[in-house]
Amino acid sequence: MKLKKIGIIIITMSILMAISLFFGCQNKENTQSNPELLLGFSQIGSESAWRIGNTNDIEEQAANYGISLMFENANQKQENQIAAIRRFIAYKVDVIAFSPIVEEGWDNVLLEAKNAGIPVILVDRDISSKEEGLTACLIGADFYKEGVMAGEYLIRKADALGLDDVNIVEITGTDNSTPMRQRQAGFADAIAQDERMHILESIDGDFLKSRGAECMKTLLDRYGDKIDVVYSHNDEMTLGALPEIEAAGFVPGQDMIIISIDGGQDAIDVLKSGKINCVVECTPKLGKEVMETAIRLNNGEEVEKLIHPEEQIFSDEQDLSNIAPRGY
Ligand code: GZL
């Protein structure tokens, strides 16, 4: 009898050990450790909820993948990004990643990184250069498609309201940045064939809430009740513009169609209140792809040249009650 009991205990212990080993291996895949990989990351700044969400995700994913992160915030200045990249090169990091605040002006510092044998990942935004091979890949949204989605929404909205003349003002993001150039081009191309659509003016709001308010006040002073639509390149500028619209005696979302991009929690809450009509998503959660790509590059593997995340549109055409918390 005693031997039988001991036998049952041994079998039970073996089964429990096998289970814990299996799940232990499972978890290992999700928290792989790469302490020997040093990643230098230059971030544009902290200009918006989107940017802060992007920074948080980069830091969380670096920790999740066990990657050592040298993180520098450039406070909206290209010269600070260039200086940070030079520090990463001097420090001999394994991989450099950065979100270029504007598209031009990177050739010299990226040639230095190339000559130092350090691969560079573009995150979120792109560069414009005649030089080949300065960067390994771009991980970021399809901004042109975001602009098209915004324009196609406006056409549907104009049809639904039976509008036959649509005057639009545009508050753009940082001049010469990839999202500004492509969101403007995508939107313009989407409405180009629709003769009802007229863009009255585009003003650079630099993706900032304060500038969004200033731009909206200027546009209201110039065009007043002629404005039918405000197309804003990010939520921050939209949230800055709304109080100016109300102060001028108009009801945003009703007297004026409000279209925004990013999809942060604050804008989604205002969308649900009816003061914004459409928010095109631009996810800041790029960290997982950045870390996996950095590991591949560090291992000398080929990587995809362009990685676009899946993105959606939120608008007053939908049931907005079940939008999950946005996390930024
Ligand atoms: C878009 C990103 C933009 C956001 C803004 O990917 O570059 O920069 O739309 C942020 O909120 O400032």
Side-chain angles (χ1 to χ4, degrees):
M1 191 53 180
K2 203 170 176 189
L3 272 178
K4 194 175 173 195
K5 264 192 175 177
I6 291 169
I8 290 168
I9 289 168
I10 289 169
I11 291 166
T12 308
M13 291 292 286
S14 316
I15 292 167
L16 288 174
M17 275 181 69
I19 290 169
S20 62
L21 271 175
F22 173 76
F23 283 108
C25 292
Q26 285 286 332
N27 289 334
K28 209 167 177 57
E29 282 163 25
N30 301 335
T31 55
Q32 53 183 301
S33 177
N34 298 276
E36 71 286 352
L37 200 172
L38 178 58
L39 172 66
F41 190 97
S42 168
Q43 179 61 289
I44 288 175
S46 310
E47 75 282 3
S48 65
W50 189 99
R51 187 65 54 196
I52 292 164
N54 179 245
T55 293
N56 292 341
D57 189 62
I58 292 290
E59 292 176 337
E60 281 165 22
Q61 291 301 331
N64 187 32
Y65 280 81
I67 287 174
S68 304
L69 182 66
M70 275 179 83
F71 182 92
E72 294 214 20
N73 182 322
N75 296 311
Q76 312 310 120
K77 291 186 175 15
Q78 180 175 29
E79 60 268 28
N80 290 348
Q81 290 198 284
I82 291 171
I85 293 170
R86 287 202 164 107
R87 278 192 287 278
F88 298 152
I89 294 167
Y91 209 83
K92 295 185 170 44
V93 300
D94 299 297
V95 180
I96 291 170
F98 78 113
S99 179
I101 186 167
V102 292
E103 294 191 335
E104 286 79 18
W106 304 99
D107 287 13
N108 292 341
V109 72
L110 293 181
L111 271 171
E112 291 166 30
K114 185 175 182 180
N115 294 338
I118 302 174
V120 176
I121 301 171
L122 289 172
V123 180
D124 171 33
R125 300 186 183 180
D126 203 353
I127 63 168
S128 167
S129 171
K130 294 184 180 60
E131 295 285 338
E132 292 293 319
L134 289 180
T135 60
C137 62
L138 167 63
I139 301 170
D142 183 344
F143 303 122
Y144 179 85
K145 185 179 171 189
E146 291 170 355
V148 168
M149 290 163 77
E152 289 175 346
Y153 164 79
L154 179 56
I155 290 169
R156 295 195 303 271
K157 185 69 176 178
D159 292 346
L161 295 176
L163 303 180
D164 52 20
D165 191 39
V166 182
N167 291 314
I168 304 155
V169 293
E170 181 182 26
I171 305 177
T172 74
T174 306
D175 202 18
N176 299 325
S177 69
T178 314
M180 176 266 169
R181 286 176 168 168
Q182 295 186 10
R183 286 171 180 167
Q184 184 167 62
F187 181 80
D189 290 351
I191 64 171
Q193 304 309 315
D194 189 324
E195 290 174 1
R196 298 172 294 179
M197 304 292 170
H198 314 285
I199 298 180
L200 298 174
E201 187 170 353
S202 296
I203 296 188
D204 178 3
D206 206 15
F207 287 128
L208 297 172
K209 188 170 191 173
S210 55
R211 286 285 300 127
E214 290 163 14
C215 291
M216 195 66 236
K217 186 165 183 349
T218 300
L219 293 165
L220 286 162
D221 291 346
R222 286 182 189 153
Y223 304 103
D225 62 3
K226 269 190 70 179
I227 300 172
D228 301 310
V229 181
V230 178
Y231 171 47
S232 166
H233 288 190
N234 88 325
D235 296 343
E236 227 62 37
M237 298 189 296
T238 306
L239 296 171
L242 294 183
E244 295 300 327
I245 294 171
E246 292 173 313
F250 300 105
V251 180
Q254 295 176 36
D255 298 334
M256 293 180 192
I257 297 166
I258 310 296
I259 302 172
S260 188
I261 301 179
D262 273 351
Q265 192 60 56
D266 289 350
I268 294 299
D269 291 345
V270 175
L271 171 72
K272 289 179 177 179
S273 76
K275 290 186 179 179
I276 294 176
N277 302 89
C278 170
V279 179
V280 178
E281 180 184 37
C282 176
T283 181
K285 297 174 181 170
L286 305 171
K288 184 174 186 298
E289 289 80 8
V290 170
M291 301 308 149
E292 291 179 351
T293 302
I295 291 167
R296 287 194 194 98
L297 288 168
N298 195 43
N299 294 339
E301 298 168 23
E302 284 299 309
V303 299
E304 283 180 73
K305 281 292 177 203
L306 180 59
I307 302 174
H308 280 328
E310 280 301 310
E311 295 179 325
Q312 59 186 311
I313 187 170
F314 303 105
S315 80
D316 52 10
E317 304 160 298
Q318 307 157 0
D319 170 10
L320 300 170
S321 61
N322 54 8
I323 298 177
R326 301 293 298 152
Y328 61 100

